[in-house]
Amino acid sequence: MRVPTLILVALGLIASGLGHSVYRHIEQGVPLLPGASETFWDVEARVRLEAEEGPVRVRLAVPDDPPGFALRSEHTASPGYGLQFLDDGQRRAEWTTRETEGLQVLYYRAQFRAVEGESGGPPARKDPEKPASTGTVSSWRPALQIAANELLASAYAASVDAFSLAAALSRRLQDNGNQNARLLLSEADPPDALVRLLAQADVPARVVQALELEDGRRRQDLRSIVRVFGDGGSRLFDPVAGGRADTSRLLLWEGSGGPVLEVEGGQDSDVSFSILETRRPAAVVARDEGISEGLFNLSIYSLPISEQTIFKSILLLPLGALVVVFFRVFVGLQTSGTFMPVLIALAFIKMSLLTGLVTFLLVIGGGLVLRQALAHLNLLLVARVSVVIVCVIGLVALLSVLSFHLGFADALQMPFFPMIIIAWTIERLSILWEEEGAHEVFIQGGGSLITAIAAYLVMQQPWVQYWMFNFLGLQLVVLALIILVGSYTGYRLSEMWRFRTFWKRADA
């Protein structure tokens, strides 16, 4: 392609990308900077079951304006099923069908707006039904009754009402040095123990289910907290964390103490949750809801949330590719595997940079040692690489277990390393060592690490991640930059350094 034509194509891509981004900002109201608008949480519940032949009824508890959040919208995806919402003290979605069989997957999707407030937002639209008190009847075994009485007496002396008593008990249950608490928790989990202690003090309470909100999480499960009833309403307590539940990151999903999922006509059922955090104006949300109902909605935001979280990482790959092209074309840096540094950079994002570097070097170093040992077996190439893959997986598993027991939580994300790519890298470096020597291995290995670190520094910026996900037109801008950089045919920095003596003579 001629240079003027190439430049015209690149300029056309840049204009289209920037135009789309400007349209997203002006017409659809998407803010240019993260954090400049309200926070919304998109939550998707995925119900999976194996239907027996015949009618099926599925009931899923769904939230209704939980504390700290306001329900903005909700949708379901259940082809072939009828849907209705029930309210028997707890709002539930009920799917029904007369005839089906095999694997069934149902989706419930809702968007919640975070509500500012010291108390975690406005109260629910209606007060939950207060559970019957069990009076002073204790449900502890006789051997634990003395510990329960002592724990309750100390908390009662340090409290003034039902809520302060619940807070005092919650803190004591979380205290690892409290022997009475440890004894009670040997029989019951913290939420159940708190409810039983409150029942002993004639304070109504129940175990409820809440969803811990974390951006990008998939297959998240609900966790148990305690809803305590007192004068003026109810409050949520987290006996695992100790004290009041942080409702800014904890979404009350089931507040009646009943089952979360009920299935008739099926088996092996379960429900998991995917979560995505977005920041948009409320007017944009209402507009997007209208767009999502359209027949020809091809926006990436129409995908299930679990797939959107995947795209949040995938959309960063063009930036990593641009960094690789820059270092290869302008600097002349050699890497082991053209785009291997981009995948390593993605793994670094899941871990911290230092942890990622250390684990990467350990895996590559250990793999090279194993590869040298395999050389004596004279295996064919495919079999040899397959053995290296198995060894790399075993090495990563071993390092993960050691990291867990040594308390390095970041290293638990080690499985995000691309195992197959690393195995091929080890094979290439091993061959390179045999043919070119250790010097060439260090050059290509170092080049790969420098490129991966540069790509990581670009891709891990929060505002970069925000732009690449919310302004898809920027993908065209990155594409144009790759085309422009790829058309460069001049000297690279490494070549200029290599031939510097000739230039000095020419200048003289």
Side-chain angles (χ1 to χ4, degrees), residues 238-363:
D238 187 356
V240 175
R244 290 279 300 276
D246 180 12
T247 53
S248 65
R249 290 276 177 174
L250 211 56
L251 176 70
L252 179 61
W253 193 270
E254 202 286 324
S256 67
V260 175
L261 178 64
E262 297 175 276
V263 175
E264 299 176 14
Q267 57 184 354
D268 298 332
S269 60
D270 61 58
V271 56
S272 60
F273 299 85
S274 300
I275 306 163
L276 190 66
E277 181 185 16
T278 56
R279 294 182 173 88
R280 289 180 291 170
V284 175
V285 177
R287 193 172 305 164
D288 285 352
E289 288 172 6
I291 294 174
S292 64
E293 297 296 338
L295 179 62
F296 299 104
N297 176 27
L298 300 179
S299 168
I300 196 172
Y301 305 108
S302 63
L303 294 174
I305 294 176
S306 56
E307 276 65 31
Q308 287 190 40
T309 57
I310 296 174
F311 270 98
K312 208 166 186 176
S313 298
I314 291 177
L315 291 175
L316 294 173
L317 290 178
L319 275 178
L322 176 61
V323 172
V324 171
V325 173
F326 174 83
F327 276 98
R328 299 276 292 211
V329 173
F330 286 146
V331 183
L333 205 61
Q334 298 183 52
T335 60
S336 179
T338 306
F339 293 105
M340 186 270 281
V342 181
L343 301 179
I344 300 301
L346 276 181
F348 286 171
I349 292 176
K350 299 297 181 182
M351 302 181 278
S352 65
L353 179 60
L354 180 60
T355 306
L357 280 173
V358 171
T359 53
F360 177 75
L361 292 175
L362 286 175
V363 171

Side-chain angles (χ1 to χ4, degrees), residues 389-440:
I389 291 173
V390 175
C391 293
V392 167
I393 292 174
L395 194 59
V396 168
L398 176 63
L399 291 175
S400 298
V401 173
L402 289 176
S403 303
F404 173 74
H405 288 289
L406 293 175
F408 298 110
D410 287 345
L412 295 179
Q413 306 299 323
M414 213 179 302
F416 281 101
F417 274 129
M419 307 290 183
I420 308 297
I421 301 297
I422 285 182
W424 273 107
T425 301
I426 293 171
E427 176 65 19
R428 271 196 295 267
L429 290 178
S430 179
I431 294 176
L432 195 64
W433 193 307
E434 294 172 356
E435 296 179 350
E436 304 289 342
H439 180 262
E440 192 65 22

Side-chain angles (χ1 to χ4, degrees), residues 191-214:
D192 185 46
L194 179 57
V195 170
R196 292 163 71 174
L197 286 169
L198 289 172
Q200 191 172 336
D202 200 21
V203 175
R206 62 166 63 121
V207 177
V208 295
Q209 302 298 318
L211 183 65
E212 190 168 359
L213 299 177
E214 184 178 343

Side-chain angles (χ1 to χ4, degrees), residues 125-138:
R125 283 191 291 208
K126 59 181 181 180
D127 293 332
E129 183 182 354
K130 192 175 182 178
S133 170
T134 57
T136 57
V137 177
S138 172

